[in-house]
Amino acid sequence: MPSWYTVAPPHDDIKEGDFDESVFAAKLGDVVSGDAPPDYSDPYAFFQKTYLTKGLENLLQSVYRKLEHGKGPGVVELQTPFGGGKTHALILAYHYLNNGSRVEDKLPDDVGLLSPNISAIVGTDVNASKGFRSGDLVRHTLWGEIAHQLGGEQAYSAIASNDKDRLAPGEDDIQDVLEPLQPFVILLDEVLEYVVKAHGIEVGGSTLGAQTLSFLQELTQAVSGLDRGLLLGTLPSSEQEDFSPDKQNNLAKVEKIFGRLEAIYTPVEGEEIYSIIRRRLFDSPDEVEVRSIVDDYIQTYQQNKGDLPSKVTAGNFREKMELAYPFHPDVIDLLYEKWSTFSTFQRTRGALRLLARVAEDLYQREEAIGLILPGDINLEEPSIRQEFLRHIGNEYEGIIDSDIAGDNAKSQRLDDENKSWNHMAQRNATSIFLHSFAADQGEQGIELPHIRLDVSRPDTPIALVANVLHEQRNELWYLNNKGQEYHFSNVPNLNRVVIDKKNQVQRPRVRKELKTYIQKELGNKLSTYLWPSSGDEIPDNTELKLAVLDPDENYQDRDLRRWVDKKGQSYRTYKNTIIFAVPNSDRHLRFEDEIKDYLALQDIAGGIAKGEQSVLEEQQEKVKRRIDDLTDEFPRKVREMYQIAKVPVMNGDSLEEIDFGDPPVGRENLDTWFRRKLASQMHGKILSGPPSARLLQSKFLRTQDEIALSDILDQFHRNPDLPALDDADLIAETVTNGVRDGSFGLARQEDGEAVPKSVKIREPLSRSQVNFREEGWVVITADRAEELQAKVETESEAEEETEGESTSETSGSEDEQDSSSDDERQDEEELGDDEPPEEEEDAVHQLSLRVSGVPTGKINDLNRGVLMPIIRAAGQFEFTIEFDVESEEGIPEKKIEQQVMETLRQLGAVVERQDQE
């Protein structure tokens, strides 16, 4: 998209930085005397830069018809709001009447050349007490001066006595003077100012002001009675002027005088101001390029019409944009609709002067934009800023510096921190500022759709406007909103009040609140100790402990290592149970600052509730919302502050530092987060599952054959070379797994020696059988376990052999006895002895027992005296166990499920019935 200044180049004085604002403040008297700037004193240059509105064309036609043909009204009032082009219209008429031949080609087709007598008087230029002077001749009144300007000394002499006595002539006397001077034109500008000043000059029992009012009444009647005479006068619009009661009264009288006979012409109406401004400030634009640029904007508006004011889809909006180019029509409209309501703002003249400054500033800075939007007006430029401040007061200069434009302005700082915004914060703030002021308070403020229209270009993501505005609402001090409307006010908003309240918050209160919120974020996953002052406050036990360090203290690693090594004067036993949560100093300071915000808001909410903050009552919901927003973020802020862990290592004075990075979104207690991160596969500093049997082998059985079961558990609490442990069942599970797969064995010691028959390896083992509290149990290497089991087998075989030999000897003796007694039996039989022979011992081929009352303390006896003899005689067999257990205290369901039932499942047993209460 081409830049605006290549499509519609500014006039040379604007380009060159030589723009003189006085060109928009020329007076009719200066034009008449030749003292006006060239743009006004030169008739052709004046017509060249003047856009002939419908009102100006009508005025020229009316003047021509009246003076040439005697048709039309003889008294014409030019009435517009202050600065609305009245004086410009008088100057236009003067150049036409006085220099018509020089501007003939600029005149409307039906307006011919004239050479009338002309009188031009500007009320603000006249000293009522001194009158008018040329040579030795002094005229004391308006009637004397008008007569002299129209007809020289001859005309003046006809009413000289009235002039000297300062007594107004009558209608007939005036008509007698004027009739021979036809065609004539009397131009009166700012006549009210002369009347007001003339009231201070006494004339007999009257005043010159009263006589002047009388003259004006007689004059209007006299002119109206002449065919080719014309009176053109300007009156301000009373609604737009700041008058004293006396001045207002005089205005009413003048209006009444003119109102009886006048015809009112309005030089500028409606959208004609767009063309006036373009003609006065810019060369003729490239209309093809203008249409192309406007097309891009209209297309953007159509695509986003739901987010913009409805007027952008109106049929005439494209035409308005083309007419107003290179300004967006809203730039001009807000000056005419809002700023012109101030009595000090000259509607056309003031808008021209201000927009000339805007164009000059943008051109000098080479702002490569296709269209000048309201948000592009540079309030950092002093000359532009003063154009607004002169109407609203210099107290708003500090507000501009604070929030909108300037090196220290918050909007500019936000833009500097977010380059992708393309100065959106400053453009937003500028748009809101320009719409914040109007004499009618109901017109103050702007809604978001209009802000979007004021700042958005075809390459602007429409959502960005609201996103940036949201950030500004939290940062700017004087940006306020009432409902959906935003405005700047010299009353500080909630942000500024918060700043003031923050300065009153003492740090001990902040520190106390900080500690409270950290305490809220400590759960029960670890034993936590908040801000301990020394290692003495951290107990020496097997619990896994998180020491959350005080951010106000600067602990060195050697200090923390001393906490790990000693508790008081004693050496610490369980060194592998301490984890330090280390604060980040930058995030600590930011968190404290947000806590100060929270405390300040709490104080403000309390003040509103007590009626002490009436100015903020309308923002009560906003206060509550900001409190909620802050407290919702506090849990995460705690984790952001404590994102570094330090854990002990085996040797040296240092600790290992682990940075978890930014915490995830969502709620999670600080100790839960620490445990989860340290137990993760990335860090592995806390056991999250049973360690491998290989770890136990390498750490405890590499240089020795056995280690006490309780010592293994103890080492996980003592030795920082091992991962920390907070669940003994994990080690128990590792032992059961290692025994089952043959990585090592488990045995019981008696008198310092492992009992061979107690060895367990390559067999199922329940967790309940791994009892760290029961003394005598040791974990042994697989080789040692097999060696002990082999010893048991050898002893068993030896016993069997011994039993076999004993049985054989007994059997041989019986054979011998049987053999030796055969003869005796035969003899006995022969003797008729009827006693039968002794029968052989019966063998049991099926055995089924159901026993009860076996105490748990006799399980080993049951195994040794019952099960083992049967296994030796009949081999392996399956048996059924039935429990009937009662307990007053109760057995934990977890223990039944995770130990008893799990062991049965590992054994492959079938649970036929399970009843529990």
Side-chain angles (χ1 to χ4, degrees):
M1 184 178 293
S3 299
W4 66 270
Y5 51 78
T6 63
V7 178
H11 289 329
D12 289 342
D13 56 347
I14 293 176
K15 283 183 181 180
E16 296 166 5
D18 293 332
F19 165 70
D20 180 3
E21 67 177 36
S22 66
V23 298
F24 300 123
K27 299 177 181 179
L28 175 62
D30 292 337
V31 173
V32 173
S33 65
D35 295 329
D39 284 354
Y40 278 82
S41 60
D42 182 280
Y44 193 84
F46 181 82
F47 267 81
Q48 177 75 20
K49 290 188 176 182
T50 296
Y51 175 78
L52 286 182
T53 65
K54 188 65 175 175
L56 292 177
E57 283 190 7
N58 289 340
L59 176 64
L60 292 176
Q61 291 166 349
S62 176
V63 169
Y64 176 72
R65 285 197 304 269
K66 180 64 177 174
L67 298 183
E68 182 67 16
H69 303 294
K71 297 180 179 180
V75 178
V76 174
E77 178 193 345
L78 300 176
Q79 187 181 70
T80 67
F82 189 44
K86 300 184 295 292
T87 299
H88 196 90
L90 287 181
I91 295 174
L92 181 80
Y94 176 81
H95 278 313
Y96 159 57
L97 296 170
N98 198 50
N99 300 281
S101 60
R102 296 181 58 185
V103 297
E104 186 174 6
D105 63 328
K106 298 294 182 183
L107 297 175
D109 292 338
D110 54 353
V111 175
L113 299 181
L114 296 170
S115 298
N117 294 308
I118 301 173
S119 171
I121 295 177
V122 179
T124 54
D125 292 344
V126 181
N127 186 324
S129 63
K130 293 182 178 181
F132 307 84
R133 179 184 294 273
S134 58
D136 294 330
L137 182 61
V138 177
R139 284 81 62 192
H140 303 282
T141 64
L142 284 187
W143 48 92
E145 180 62 14
I146 291 173
H148 187 267
Q149 288 187 13
L150 291 176
E153 292 186 15
Q154 181 179 354
Y156 171 73
S157 64
I159 56 171
S161 61
N162 293 89
D163 177 66
K164 292 175 182 177
D165 295 337
R166 294 181 173 88
L167 295 174
E171 177 184 347
D172 292 340
D173 294 331
I174 296 173
Q175 201 167 55
D176 289 342
V177 173
L178 295 178
E179 186 170 11
L181 299 176
Q182 298 181 87
F184 69 84
V185 175
I186 300 171
L187 304 177
L188 294 180
D189 193 16
E190 303 288 357
V191 67
L192 178 63
E193 295 295 328
Y194 177 83
V195 171
V196 172
K197 291 184 287 186
H199 272 297
I201 301 174
E202 294 183 0
V203 178
S206 180
T207 66
L208 181 59
Q211 292 297 313
T212 302
L213 289 173
S214 178
F215 164 71
L216 291 174
Q217 181 171 332
E218 301 297 332
L219 176 66
T220 55
Q221 293 177 169
V223 172
S224 297
L226 297 173
D227 291 336
R228 300 174 65 198
L230 181 64
L231 169 63
L232 288 179
T234 66
L235 294 179
S237 174
S238 59
E239 291 84 0
Q240 302 299 334
E241 291 285 12
D242 182 17
F243 288 155
S244 65
D246 180 61
K247 195 171 183 179
Q248 190 79 297
N249 181 53
N250 283 302
L251 174 63
K253 292 177 179 179
V254 174
E255 287 179 333
K256 184 177 180 180
I257 292 170
F258 276 78
R260 292 179 304 132
L261 301 169
E262 70 186 354
I264 298 177
Y265 282 78
T266 303
V268 180
E269 292 185 310
E271 296 168 6
E272 290 176 332
I273 187 61
Y274 302 150
S275 299
I276 291 173
I277 289 171
R278 177 193 284 183
R279 179 71 65 86
R280 293 291 286 120
L281 302 182
F282 306 99
D283 294 342
S284 297
D286 184 330
E287 297 295 349
V288 174
E289 288 285 10
V290 171
R291 284 192 292 273
S292 175
I293 292 170
V294 171
D295 281 345
D296 288 343
Y297 275 84
I298 292 295
Q299 182 178 356
T300 300
Y301 295 159
Q302 292 291 340
Q303 293 170 350
N304 299 280
K305 59 185 178 182
D307 297 314
L308 296 168
S310 59
K311 68 180 181 180
V312 300
T313 59
N316 67 337
F317 198 70
R318 177 194 295 271
E319 181 182 356
K320 288 181 67 173
M321 291 188 68
E322 292 179 0
L323 287 173
Y325 191 86
F327 293 108
H328 190 283
D330 271 19
V331 174
I332 300 168
D333 289 350
L334 75 88
L335 296 179
Y336 259 61
E337 294 170 6
K338 290 195 173 184
W339 286 89
S340 69
T341 62
F342 289 102
S343 61
T344 52
F345 189 91
Q346 299 170 321
R347 197 172 193 190
T348 300
R349 192 186 314 160
L352 280 169
R353 183 174 59 243
L354 193 153
L355 294 177
R357 290 294 184 198
V358 170
E360 181 182 42
D361 171 71
L362 291 172
Y363 183 83
Q364 295 298 325
R365 291 191 291 119
E366 297 184 359
E367 282 293 324
I369 51 180
L371 187 67
I372 302 172
L373 299 167
D376 297 321
I377 295 175
N378 182 18
L379 294 176
E380 189 174 0
E381 168 57 38
S383 63
I384 295 174
R385 181 185 298 197
Q386 285 302 317
E387 286 291 336
F388 294 105
L389 294 180
R390 69 172 66 185
H391 311 296
I392 58 177
N394 287 330
E395 66 266 26
Y396 284 96
E397 183 159 19
I399 293 169
I400 295 173
D401 287 335
S402 168
D403 285 356
I404 303 171
D407 292 340
N408 297 317
K410 297 174 184 61
S411 292
Q412 187 159 315
R413 174 178 56 79
L414 287 171
D415 284 332
D416 291 341
E417 294 171 356
N418 301 272
K419 298 297 185 183
S420 63
W421 289 2
N422 194 19
H423 305 290
M424 180 61 73
Q426 191 167 350
R427 288 191 280 146
N428 274 355
T430 300
S431 168
I432 296 170
F433 181 84
L434 295 179
H435 285 274
S436 295
F437 305 95
D440 179 0
Q441 292 188 356
E443 296 297 322
Q444 295 176 355
I446 180 173
E447 295 184 351
L448 179 58
H450 286 86
I451 299 174
R452 293 191 183 106
L453 182 61
D454 277 4
V455 302
S456 295
R457 304 185 181 116
D459 60 351
T460 302
I462 204 73
L464 179 63
V465 180
N467 294 340
V468 173
L469 181 59
H470 176 75
E471 295 295 323
Q472 291 176 283
R473 290 177 62 186
N474 293 329
E475 293 287 336
L476 275 54
W477 284 1
Y478 297 94
L479 176 62
N480 295 275
N481 67 288
K482 187 174 184 179
Q484 300 299 315
E485 287 193 339
Y486 295 88
H487 67 278
F488 280 97
S489 168
N490 56 3
V491 177
N493 63 15
L494 182 59
N495 296 325
R496 176 56 188 269
V497 177
V498 169
I499 294 295
D500 291 340
K501 286 290 184 182
K502 280 177 70 174
N503 292 333
Q504 300 172 26
V505 176
Q506 300 299 312
R507 192 167 185 280
R509 186 181 171 201
V510 176
R511 181 170 164 80
K512 179 181 178 181
E513 197 72 24
L514 174 66
K515 189 172 185 179
T516 297
Y517 269 97
I518 297 173
Q519 184 69 60
K520 288 179 181 179
E521 295 308 309
L522 302 181
N524 55 11
K525 286 295 183 182
L526 302 173
S527 295
T528 55
Y529 299 87
L530 180 58
W531 296 359
S533 58
S534 70
D536 296 353
E537 298 177 23
I538 304 174
D540 186 14
N541 57 31
T542 59
E543 291 181 345
L544 200 54
K545 297 170 282 291
L546 179 66
V548 183
L549 299 181
D550 187 341
D552 279 0
E553 300 294 337
N554 184 24
Y555 293 110
Q556 302 298 316
D557 277 7
R558 62 178 177 271
D559 301 319
L560 300 179
R561 183 67 205 203
R562 197 175 302 118
W563 292 16
V564 172
D565 292 339
K566 299 184 74 174
K567 180 181 184 299
Q569 300 301 314
S570 304
Y571 283 97
R572 188 179 293 275
T573 301
Y574 300 110
K575 299 179 180 181
N576 199 33
T577 62
I578 300 179
I579 301 163
F580 295 106
V582 181
N584 178 295
S585 58
D586 289 339
R587 297 197 174 188
H588 161 231
L589 294 176
R590 289 202 292 270
F591 191 13
E592 279 200 347
D593 190 65
E594 290 178 342
I595 287 177
K596 288 182 74 174
D597 282 338
Y598 164 75
L599 293 173
L601 287 163
Q602 287 281 36
D603 291 344
I604 292 168
I608 293 174
K610 296 177 182 178
E612 299 170 355
Q613 293 280 357
S614 58
V615 72
L616 294 175
E617 284 181 359
E618 293 181 358
Q619 302 197 50
Q620 188 169 9
E621 284 301 315
K622 185 175 182 180
V623 172
K624 181 180 182 300
R625 185 168 60 251
R626 284 185 60 172
I627 290 174
D628 291 342
D629 289 345
L630 283 170
T631 53
D632 285 347
E633 283 294 308
F634 281 175
R636 178 177 168 84
K637 297 296 181 182
V638 171
R639 284 177 285 146
E640 285 182 343
M641 178 176 160
Y642 288 102
Q643 65 181 43
I644 295 175
K646 286 191 176 183
V647 296
V649 294
M650 189 61 188
N651 298 310
D653 293 334
S654 64
L655 301 171
E656 181 179 356
E657 181 175 296
I658 301 171
D659 190 338
F660 299 151
D662 289 334
V665 176
R667 294 299 300 265
E668 187 176 28
N669 287 333
L670 182 66
D671 55 314
T672 303
W673 185 46
F674 263 65
R675 193 193 183 289
R676 179 173 62 81
K677 296 294 286 186
L678 291 173
S680 67
Q681 187 174 2
M682 177 183 293
H683 301 299
K685 294 298 179 180
I686 298 177
L687 286 177
S688 59
S692 66
R694 183 176 301 173
L695 175 65
L696 266 61
Q697 285 177 309
S698 63
K699 290 293 185 181
F700 304 115
L701 297 175
R702 186 173 60 182
T703 59
Q704 56 187 356
D705 290 340
E706 63 183 42
I707 182 173
L709 184 61
S710 60
D711 286 349
I712 294 177
L713 182 64
D714 203 44
Q715 282 299 307
F716 276 94
H717 298 310
R718 290 171 176 260
N719 186 354
D721 273 355
L722 294 169
L725 173 69
D726 60 354
D727 186 358
D729 282 349
L730 298 179
I731 307 302
E733 187 173 343
T734 299
V735 172
T736 62
N737 293 340
V739 170
R740 184 173 60 248
D741 65 23
S743 297
F744 43 70
L746 183 66
R748 183 173 182 81
Q749 283 186 339
E750 291 182 1
D751 298 329
E753 295 291 334
V755 178
K757 290 183 178 182
S758 70
V759 173
K760 300 179 184 301
I761 189 170
R762 295 189 182 87
E763 62 180 88
L765 193 68
S766 69
R767 288 187 183 180
S768 62
Q769 291 175 278
V770 182
N771 191 336
F772 296 104
R773 295 182 179 179
E774 186 176 348
E775 295 184 0
W777 288 98
V778 293
V779 174
I780 59 177
T781 63
D783 291 343
R784 178 65 173 152
E786 291 171 354
E787 177 186 335
L788 291 172
Q789 282 192 335
K791 183 177 180 181
V792 172
E793 293 175 0
T794 301
E795 290 176 352
S796 296
E797 290 174 358
E799 288 179 1
E800 289 177 0
E801 288 177 0
T802 301
E803 291 176 1
E805 290 174 358
S806 173
T807 302
S808 298
E809 291 174 358
T810 304
S811 299
S813 173
E814 290 176 349
D815 289 343
E816 289 177 1
Q817 291 175 0
D818 289 344
S819 176
S820 64
S821 62
D822 282 346
D823 293 341
E824 294 178 5
R825 287 200 297 274
Q826 184 176 359
D827 291 344
E828 290 173 357
E829 289 174 358
E830 290 177 350
L831 291 173
D833 191 353
D834 296 332
E835 185 176 352
E838 185 176 350
E839 295 182 358
E840 294 183 0
E841 182 179 0
D842 293 335
V844 174
H845 296 283
Q846 182 174 355
L847 175 64
S848 178
L849 294 173
R850 181 182 178 89
V851 298
S852 63
V854 178
T856 54
K858 299 297 183 180
I859 293 296
N860 290 335
D861 294 338
L862 180 68
N863 180 59
R864 184 173 59 253
V866 178
L867 300 179
M868 291 307 298
I870 297 176
I871 291 172
R872 292 192 190 100
Q876 295 288 333
F877 68 98
E878 294 183 355
F879 60 97
T880 300
I881 299 176
E882 183 173 346
F883 296 98
D884 188 7
V885 182
E886 292 185 2
S887 170
E888 291 184 359
E889 296 181 358
I891 305 172
E893 287 187 358
K894 181 177 179 181
K895 184 178 290 294
I896 293 173
E897 175 59 28
Q898 295 185 357
Q899 296 186 6
V900 175
M901 303 306 294
E902 178 62 22
T903 301
L904 292 174
R905 283 192 286 269
Q906 291 180 6
L907 293 173
V910 177
V911 178
E912 297 179 351
R913 180 172 58 87
Q914 180 181 355
D915 298 322
Q916 61 186 57
E917 295 180 357

